[in-house]
Amino acid sequence: MNTPTPPGPAAPPPRRTLVAFVVTALVAALLAVGGLALLMNILEHKQEARNPFFRVVELTDETEDPAIWGKNFPLHYDDYLRTTDQQRTRYGGSEALPRTPTDADPRSIVAQSRLEEDTRLKRMWAGYAFARDFREDRGHAYMLEDQTFTERQHAVAQPGTCLNCHASVYVPYMRAGDGDLFRGFEALNQMPFAEARQHVQHPVTCIDCHDSQTMELRITRPAFIEGIRAAKAAEGIPDYDVQRHASRQEMRSFVCAQCHVEYYFKGPEKRLVYPWSKGLKVEDMLAYYDEVGHRDWTHAETGAAALKVQHPEFELWSQGIHARSGVACTDCHMPYKRVGALKISDHHVRSPLLNVQKACQTCHHWPEEELLQRAFTIQDRTYKMRNLAMDALMDLIDDLATVRSSGIATNNPAFLAAQDFQRKAKFYVDFIEAENSMGFHAPQEAARILGESIDFSRQGQNALRRLPVGPDTAAAH
């Protein structure tokens, strides 16, 4: 007797099988296409990374003209040309001020005079060239023109050293030094400005920050190479070579710090020196100047030795939260942006307050108005503190000038102490005045510096109280 075979699962209807097959095939096809697209994207990006530009012209280490670099990098060059813009923020930048050109000064547009805006500046710098001409900031495009035609050139003979931060000097240094960067730097430093001016043609250009072959960032200013080595030594890092030891992110600040720093001209050879061997804080630099006995000039009203602070953006930024967080200068002043399919660094160098979306909102996810108000609050408070420090310094200058004209011996220890307090108070308030962020780069440090400046001025006035009182000196007591 045969056992009947149990019935198996019912075979799927032919139509359902066909649908399942088609769906499976479509999914497989989509996965294959997606995978292929992903692979192509990766390959394209790798190719883009290997060759991020079309090499239209061959660049060399002597290609100084930015227009030639612009043939290979038209997007970057377009941005670079926009540094001619004159647009101000609340405490920075400038508006275009028309002027009648002359043979001595052919400029038809200038920035407004800071000396006319705040006459205390003129008195703070009495006897120094900056009391004759000091104007609002303009973009990189104007750096060479403004330095060439400033009235400061007529106030005092200026050396070729000034060109380090007002011109593209890498190629001129190399030529003047027969291929030796440092020797060319030393040669141009010692020339009168007018003579050295003939060696340069452009304001800062591409070759001042980039290697012409690899496009990598590099340092081209000998003074920075020496200065950062001294600063690192003060931190306990000997024999620092910025070209070999700096990280890429550090270089994105260091290339700016080649110029946006405090400095002085050392000795008769006018060597450019960054006073960083004791550190980057304001008291470190003043201690350096005290040690070497340097003065920029003698104050016209009080006879005090005085120092002119330059533009210590790098030093103040170094004390702030952005530096501590690893944010570089270029992250905010030259933020990345996307143009078509390319991601490039914005070479329209400017205040982040004019470009909040790219400069700030990449990290700070707050509305633009909120971020602007935060920045303005910091700057308003710093400016108010700066005014208090300026007033205190004016009071001290008043008292010193009165005593000096009264006939009291100016070699009296109390008078000399008051002069030294003027030197300190002036250096501290000028540190914030000359720095281009109105305290934003390091708000608490800026407040500390200004507070100490006020204290130095009041200590100077108190020192004068120790002088013998006479009828002519009563005003100082």
Side-chain angles (χ1 to χ4, degrees), residues 172-378:
Y173 281 168
M174 294 294 281
R175 287 175 180 162
D178 291 328
D180 186 320
L181 185 68
F182 278 74
R183 208 165 68 188
F185 162 70
E186 291 162 356
L188 260 67
N189 283 345
Q190 300 181 52
M191 293 179 188
F193 181 86
E195 181 182 345
R197 176 66 179 81
Q198 297 176 29
H199 290 255
V200 303
Q201 300 182 52
H202 305 280
V204 64
T205 66
C206 320
I207 201 167
D208 293 292
C209 300
H210 293 281
D211 184 290
S212 64
Q213 302 306 303
T214 66
M215 302 305 131
E216 292 290 329
L217 293 173
R218 67 174 176 181
I219 300 299
T220 57
R221 269 36 175 194
F224 183 82
I225 294 171
E226 295 177 339
I228 196 68
R229 183 185 299 137
K232 292 293 183 181
E235 297 173 7
I237 306 172
D239 302 323
Y240 185 79
D241 182 338
V242 66
Q243 311 284 21
R244 293 192 296 116
H245 297 147
S247 69
R248 181 176 181 277
Q249 186 65 358
E250 286 176 322
M251 289 295 274
R252 298 178 74 238
S253 291
F254 288 172
V255 290
C256 306
Q258 297 183 94
C259 294
H260 290 266
V261 292
E262 164 63 3
Y263 57 81
Y264 80 111
F265 303 161
K266 182 180 179 181
E269 66 276 15
K270 302 299 181 185
R271 188 182 188 87
L272 184 66
V273 173
Y274 301 167
W276 295 346
S277 62
K278 295 180 181 296
L280 297 178
K281 289 187 174 181
V282 63
E283 57 265 40
D284 298 329
M285 286 179 273
L286 185 59
Y288 170 89
Y289 286 132
D290 288 342
E291 183 176 280
V292 300
H294 174 70
R295 72 168 67 184
D296 284 315
W297 88 103
T298 299
H299 195 270
E301 292 189 49
T302 69
L307 298 162
K308 172 68 184 78
V309 183
Q310 306 307 322
H311 21 73
E313 283 82 57
F314 176 67
E315 293 93 334
L316 189 64
W317 165 84
S318 297
Q319 310 306 317
I321 186 62
H322 285 93
R324 183 61 63 88
S325 303
V327 178
C329 304
T330 51
D331 285 321
C332 304
H333 293 276
M334 302 174 65
Y336 288 114
K337 66 177 185 179
R338 185 161 288 281
V339 182
L342 292 177
K343 177 185 173 185
I344 68 170
S345 178
D346 189 345
H347 280 56
H348 181 196
V349 185
R350 55 182 164 160
S351 167
L353 300 181
L354 299 173
N355 191 21
V356 171
Q357 182 187 9
K358 297 289 192 307
C360 310
Q361 290 179 314
T362 302
C363 299
H364 302 288
H365 301 151
W366 294 88
E368 180 170 334
E369 186 59 29
E370 165 71 14
L371 294 173
L372 284 172
Q373 286 306 316
R374 291 187 190 186
F376 291 154
T377 298
I378 290 170

Side-chain angles (χ1 to χ4, degrees), residues 105-117:
D105 183 353
R107 291 176 298 174
S108 59
I109 299 290
V110 294
Q112 52 270 50
S113 169
R114 289 293 317 283
L115 301 178
E116 294 175 4
E117 294 173 341

Side-chain angles (χ1 to χ4, degrees), residues 396 421 424-425 428 451-461:
L396 176 57
F421 279 121
K424 293 174 181 173
Y428 275 49
E452 292 197 31
S453 176
I454 294 171
D455 183 57
F456 288 141
S457 290
R458 299 311 181 199
Q459 286 193 63
Q461 289 183 284

